[in-house]
Amino acid sequence: MSSGASKLDLAARAAWMYYVAGNTQNEIAERLGISRQMAQRMVAYAGAANLVKVQITHPVSSCLELAQGLQERYGLQVCRVVPGAGGGDNPNESQEVQQMLAVAGAEVMDQYLSPETPLVVNVGSGRTLKAAIEKITEIDRPQHQIVSMIGAFASDGSANRYDVALQAAEKLQARFYLLPAPRVAESESDRKQWCNHRAYKIVAGLAERADITFLGIGTIALQGAMHEDGFIDDAEVAQLQKQGAVGEMICHAFDVEGRMLATALASRITTPPLAARPKHPVIAFAGGSKKAEAVRAALRGGWLTGLVTDEVCARHALQDS
């Protein structure tokens, strides 16, 4: 995204919050993570750029309304909604949405990661999260600690190409902690052995104390991330779907209401558990028509304090049924 387009987006957000939502310039500055002077300039720039007439003439206007709706319905602290890419009828939907989510996601992550106060940062996995991390600002924050929330490898020893915690650590010049276990153990007893190891307990304990968590939302489906990467096979996908699974976060499968499922797979997962109604920020990154059901379920379950998504998922999450 060009700097000019980014400035227009920021101006449109500020203008919508000022003219439509009735926020003060101080409130706008706080919510957008900018100075009060910058908020004032952006509102003025929106007028000079003819964005403000009877309504805000910019595509981001509807996205802001959707984000506001998601925050109010699900009690989110932060929410960004990017324009949709035409739904399932668009063969390039996934790639186009991911590019927009990456830009919006990086902006959110930068706001949380830029302070110099030492932070413990949990990082999950996923294509969208990976794309966002690729766009975050490179800053020296050696005082931060980056923790990978997922097992380092599959049962055959292969690594997950969307495990991006190391990439985040390199961007920040921060210390990196790897969860020393396979993502899915071969059996429940095998999982207990991995999770009882001293090194595992150290990393898992650090993850428990994290100041902020960034993660993706996956689907339980053929060609979903867990299936595509070989962590579950066709039969396990079918079994999970039969038990009502529609999505997963760091391998923990949940149903349409966001309830974590006690499945045979769950007893073999080595990733640390998520906390319902978390006390610290937990922000997810996901979009596209294929993710709509999983995103809504994750919100219903109360697992998130923040979300970066697209119009398709946002509208689905705001439906009553």
Side-chain angles (χ1 to χ4, degrees):
M1 179 181 291
S2 69
S3 59
S6 181
K7 184 178 181 181
L8 279 173
D9 281 358
L10 185 60
R13 291 182 189 280
W16 187 92
M17 293 169 70
Y18 186 78
Y19 291 106
V20 181
N23 295 132
T24 66
Q25 291 177 358
N26 284 335
E27 290 171 332
I28 294 169
E30 183 177 350
R31 289 185 58 188
L32 294 181
I34 58 178
S35 68
R36 184 185 180 280
Q37 291 76 14
M38 176 63 79
Q40 185 178 17
R41 286 199 296 271
M42 286 299 99
V43 172
Y45 179 72
N50 294 320
L51 298 185
V52 182
K53 296 179 182 177
V54 176
Q55 61 184 8
I56 299 173
T57 57
H58 190 281
V60 82
S61 176
S62 63
C63 294
L64 287 165
E65 292 176 0
L66 289 169
Q68 183 95 353
L70 290 173
Q71 285 186 269
E72 292 174 357
R73 176 169 293 195
Y74 296 104
L76 300 177
Q77 297 171 7
V78 61
C79 185
R80 296 286 187 274
V81 176
V82 304
D89 294 334
N90 180 0
N92 299 316
E93 180 209 13
S94 179
Q95 184 178 358
E96 292 176 13
V97 168
Q98 187 177 100
Q99 290 173 352
M100 291 185 286
L101 290 175
V103 173
E107 290 175 356
V108 171
M109 295 179 77
D110 280 341
Q111 289 180 25
Y112 282 94
L113 297 174
S114 59
E116 296 187 359
T117 305
L119 297 172
V120 177
V121 183
N122 280 342
V123 178
S125 69
R127 298 172 180 85
T128 303
L129 182 59
K130 179 178 186 293
I133 287 175
E134 288 174 351
K135 292 186 178 297
I136 63 174
T137 305
E138 292 190 17
I139 51 175
D140 288 337
R141 291 295 182 268
Q143 64 271 38
H144 292 353
Q145 296 171 287
I146 310 299
V147 182
S148 176
M149 295 189 75
I150 62 171
F153 49 88
S155 57
D156 63 359
S158 61
N160 169 26
R161 69 192 122 162
Y162 302 115
D163 181 4
V164 292
L166 176 58
Q167 187 176 9
E170 290 175 341
K171 284 261 188 173
L172 302 173
Q173 298 299 303
R175 185 172 295 181
F176 171 62
Y177 295 84
L178 182 71
L179 198 64
R183 186 184 282 201
V184 182
E186 292 185 5
S187 65
E188 185 174 359
S189 61
D190 189 41
R191 174 195 172 277
K192 289 179 180 177
Q193 288 185 355
W194 283 106
C195 295
N196 282 329
H197 194 280
R198 178 177 174 275
Y200 177 95
K201 289 183 176 180
I202 290 173
V203 178
L206 191 61
E208 246 181 76
R209 303 191 300 274
D211 298 293
I212 183 167
T213 297
F214 299 118
L215 44 73
I217 300 175
T219 58
I220 299 297
L222 296 178
Q223 304 311 312
M226 287 187 68
H227 177 260
E228 191 176 68
D229 289 336
F231 294 105
I232 55 177
D233 58 26
D234 293 12
E236 287 172 314
V237 170
Q239 181 61 31
L240 285 167
Q241 290 177 333
K242 186 177 180 180
Q243 292 177 277
V246 297
E248 56 86 13
M249 292 183 290
I250 56 170
C251 299
H252 297 293
F254 49 84
D255 67 13
V256 71
E257 296 297 330
R259 294 178 292 242
M260 293 295 174
L261 298 172
T263 64
L265 176 67
S267 65
R268 296 162 47 218
I269 296 295
T270 63
T271 54
L274 292 167
R277 312 296 171 189
K279 297 179 180 178
H280 297 287
V282 176
I283 301 175
F285 304 78
S289 55
K290 294 181 180 178
K291 295 285 186 76
E293 195 67 54
V295 169
R296 182 170 68 174
L299 289 168
R300 283 176 169 174
W303 303 104
L304 308 175
T305 68
L307 176 67
V308 179
T309 191
D310 73 326
E311 282 184 287
V312 174
C313 289
R315 293 186 190 283
H316 189 74
L318 290 170
Q319 291 176 357
D320 293 329
S321 59

